[in-house]
């Protein structure tokens, strides 16, 4: 079973290609976000390991659920469930410029790769707990894959 990661150049390029296939008129299969909102959301999520977006603390119950979810995704290589709750700071329910959101996400992906190469990724996530470089690459890939599938790419 292949565990795709943003740290692998093949899968990093795959994500870049899939993002390039999106258009402003791409239809979603589920959820409420438009394609431009989804791109902005994914950009915000990728800014967390870059320490540009800081998530608030959460209670022990949600931290436990997050840690268990991380382990489950790693063991079973499954994806993120549809309509999963997210941090308020990462919700995009406002209009976004499609081209700007796409460009920003692509730039943030490059910044993520650079931070990873320079061993600058944090060792903790508010929801998932202790994080390794491998965890970041795997979970960020899964998140992007989830939303690109949402828009059929």
């Amino acid at each position: 079973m292949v565990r795709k990661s943003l740290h692998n150049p093949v899968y990093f390029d795959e994500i870049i290609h899939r993002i390039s296939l999106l258009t402003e008129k791409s239809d979603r299969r589920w959820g409420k976000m438009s394609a431009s909102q989804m791109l902005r959301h994914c950009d915000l999520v990728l800014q967390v390991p870059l320490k540009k977006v800081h998530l608030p603390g959460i209670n022990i119950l949600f931290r436990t659920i997050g840690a268990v979810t991380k382990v489950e995704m790693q063991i079973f290589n499954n994806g993120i469930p549809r309509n999963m709750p997210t941090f308020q700071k990462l919700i995009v329910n406002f209009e976004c410029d499609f081209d700007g959101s796409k460009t920003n996400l692509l730039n943030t992906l490059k910044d993520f790769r650079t931070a990873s190469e320079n061993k600058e990724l944090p060792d903790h996530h508010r929801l998932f707990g202790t994080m390794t470089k491998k965890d970041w690459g795997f979970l960020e890939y899964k998140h992007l894959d989830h939303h690109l599938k949402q828009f059929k790419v």
Side-chain angles (χ1 to χ4, degrees), residues 48-112:
V48 171
L50 299 175
K51 303 171 193 157
K52 294 179 181 178
V53 170
H54 302 280
L55 300 176
I58 57 174
N59 68 44
I60 187 87
L61 174 63
F62 287 116
R63 286 196 314 260
T64 302
I65 291 169
V68 168
T69 300
K70 179 181 86 169
V71 170
E72 177 191 343
M73 286 175 66
Q74 291 169 330
I75 291 171
F76 298 108
N77 199 25
N78 56 359
I80 296 170
R82 293 180 184 178
N83 301 310
M84 186 174 156
T86 191
F87 286 91
Q88 187 68 34
K89 284 182 117 173
L90 304 176
I91 294 173
V92 178
N93 55 7
F94 49 87
E95 288 303 311
C96 301
D97 173 67
F98 179 81
D99 292 326
S101 296
K102 190 181 216 180
T103 299
N104 289 341
L105 174 57
L106 293 171
N107 288 334
T108 301
L109 272 162
K110 290 175 192 168
D111 292 346
F112 177 84

Side-chain angles (χ1 to χ4, degrees), residues 4-149:
K4 295 182 177 183
S5 169
L6 289 182
H7 300 315
N8 183 316
V10 171
Y11 303 125
F12 185 89
D13 290 344
E14 170 208 313
I15 290 292
I16 299 291
H17 175 71
R18 289 168 65 191
I19 291 169
S20 76
L21 297 175
L22 281 169
T23 69
E24 196 165 0
K25 298 188 188 291
S26 293
D27 289 326
R28 64 181 174 262
R29 296 187 326 180
W30 71 83
K32 298 175 184 169
M33 290 187 289
S34 66
S36 58
Q37 289 171 323
M38 178 273 290
L39 290 166
R40 179 72 179 121
H41 165 74
C42 288
D43 183 35
L44 288 171
V45 169
L46 266 174
Q47 288 184 41
V48 171
L50 299 175
K51 303 171 193 157
K52 294 179 181 178
V53 170
H54 302 280
L55 300 176
I58 57 174
N59 68 44
I60 187 87
L61 174 63
F62 287 116
R63 286 196 314 260
T64 302
I65 291 169
V68 168
T69 300
K70 179 181 86 169
V71 170
E72 177 191 343
M73 286 175 66
Q74 291 169 330
I75 291 171
F76 298 108
N77 199 25
N78 56 359
I80 296 170
R82 293 180 184 178
N83 301 310
M84 186 174 156
T86 191
F87 286 91
Q88 187 68 34
K89 284 182 117 173
L90 304 176
I91 294 173
V92 178
N93 55 7
F94 49 87
E95 288 303 311
C96 301
D97 173 67
F98 179 81
D99 292 326
S101 296
K102 190 181 216 180
T103 299
N104 289 341
L105 174 57
L106 293 171
N107 288 334
T108 301
L109 272 162
K110 290 175 192 168
D111 292 346
F112 177 84
R113 180 164 53 185
T114 299
S116 175
E117 289 168 355
N118 294 335
K119 298 180 171 62
E120 296 171 344
L121 297 176
D123 61 3
H124 189 267
H125 186 278
R126 291 283 195 186
L127 178 63
F128 297 121
T130 302
M131 296 286 284
T132 64
K133 175 183 172 180
K134 185 176 177 180
D135 294 334
W136 282 113
F138 175 75
L139 292 172
E140 293 293 355
Y141 177 90
K142 286 291 190 181
H143 182 255
L144 288 161
D145 179 62
H146 167 79
H147 284 294
L148 292 169
K149 285 179 180 174

